[in-house]
Amino acid sequence: MRKAKFWRKHEKKLMNSMGMKATVGSGNTWIEKEDGESEHFLAQSKATQKKSITLKREDVKTLFENAAVMDKIPVFVLSFVDKFEEYELVAFDKADAMRFIEMANAEESDG
């Protein structure tokens, strides 16, 4: 089992790789919410070395509410980590994901 120090370091590295700043205390303060943020995004991260991750409706709801208050796009990042591999999945609200897809398709059409 990995120690909390490893997971804090992993979270900070993950947020930095996505152009976000990791929040103090993994977002458990009254000032900073969730696990990372940038000018446009607010992110929640779940990571494990186990075979599955539990994703609770309340966590998603809280992320959406905090992002709405801050006028940011909610992002959920799921990570599976072991000695040899790391799988990361980034999830957006469907409406935001559709906007990104439309933007990518428009760029392809213009190019």
Side-chain angles (χ1 to χ4, degrees):
M1 201 61 144
R2 298 191 190 248
K3 297 185 180 198
K5 183 177 179 180
F6 170 84
W7 293 113
R8 282 193 299 272
K9 186 176 177 182
H10 175 268
E11 188 173 274
K12 184 175 182 176
K13 180 180 170 186
L14 174 65
M15 291 299 138
N16 288 338
S17 75
M18 296 176 60
M20 296 187 205
K21 177 185 170 279
T23 57
V24 175
S26 195
N28 65 1
T29 68
W30 65 274
I31 296 173
E32 292 187 306
K33 299 296 179 189
E34 306 304 335
D35 296 325
E37 66 177 293
S38 68
E39 181 181 353
H40 302 288
F41 299 99
L42 184 66
Q44 172 64 254
S45 173
K46 297 276 184 195
T48 188
Q49 64 188 79
K50 297 178 182 177
K51 293 183 179 188
S52 64
I53 291 177
T54 299
L55 180 59
K56 296 178 184 172
R57 180 191 313 226
E58 188 63 30
D59 293 336
V60 176
K61 181 181 176 191
T62 300
L63 172 63
F64 275 54
E65 289 171 351
N66 288 334
V69 167
M70 299 173 74
D71 195 29
K72 296 187 180 205
I73 296 170
V75 180
F76 220 107
V77 185
L78 304 174
S79 300
F80 291 93
V81 180
D82 70 21
K83 291 180 183 178
F84 306 107
E85 298 176 305
E86 189 166 323
Y87 296 99
E88 296 171 336
L89 176 68
V90 179
F92 292 94
D93 173 72
K94 182 180 175 185
D96 293 322
M98 294 306 297
R99 280 199 339 242
F100 299 144
I101 291 168
E102 289 171 10
M103 288 169 42
N105 288 339
E107 284 181 13
E108 286 181 9
S109 298
D110 293 342

